[in-house]
Amino acid sequence: MIKKMIKKHPILILLVTFLTISTNALETVANLILVYAIDTIIDRKVKLFLTLLAIMILGYLIHWVTGYYTRVLEEKLIQKENHDIRQKYMENQMSTALENDFR
């Protein structure tokens, strides 16, 4: 089933995969920046701390946006698959009903 889904929606699956990886990577980088920012505040480097804090906040904002679009595209993919399943089910039911009418 997964192979069929990949064949039907290759670009959407690729985009969701890329956004998922980049979202997790952004969160990891932002968390690492937080660790360095804490070290700089301990060393009393306030200017560097504020710079790292700004970069970290920017990273979290980008993380939030990419996470939002990842969830939207995942739902879009799920809806497309549900539509395809419903379509096949209805076609099957119609052909079964027509076969029963002709017997």
Side-chain angles (χ1 to χ4, degrees):
M1 179 158 171
I2 293 175
K3 288 182 182 180
K4 289 179 184 178
M5 190 168 68
I6 291 171
K7 286 180 182 178
K8 286 182 198 172
H9 315 289
I11 294 173
L12 194 56
I13 289 178
L14 184 66
L15 190 58
V16 167
T17 303
F18 174 75
L19 282 174
T20 301
I21 291 169
S22 63
T23 300
N24 290 331
L26 280 168
E27 184 178 22
T28 302
V29 168
N31 288 335
L32 287 173
I33 291 173
L34 177 62
V35 171
Y36 289 117
I38 291 171
D39 288 343
T40 58
I41 199 69
I42 290 171
D43 293 339
R44 298 176 192 244
K45 298 176 183 175
V46 177
K47 191 172 183 178
L48 182 59
F49 170 75
L50 293 175
T51 304
L52 289 174
L53 191 64
I55 294 170
M56 182 192 69
I57 290 172
L58 180 65
Y60 277 124
L61 286 174
I62 295 170
H63 166 263
W64 180 78
V65 170
T66 57
Y68 172 78
Y69 282 109
T70 301
R71 288 186 295 278
V72 167
L73 291 174
E74 283 175 352
E75 287 300 319
K76 194 173 186 178
L77 182 64
I78 290 168
Q79 290 302 318
K80 284 184 177 191
E81 275 303 304
N82 284 342
H83 177 73
D84 291 343
I85 291 169
R86 262 187 246 111
Q87 182 87 18
K88 286 180 184 176
Y89 176 76
M90 291 306 295
E91 288 172 1
N92 185 24
Q93 291 300 312
M94 292 297 285
S95 66
T96 303
L98 289 174
E99 286 175 6
N100 289 340
D101 284 347
F102 290 120
R103 288 184 185 181

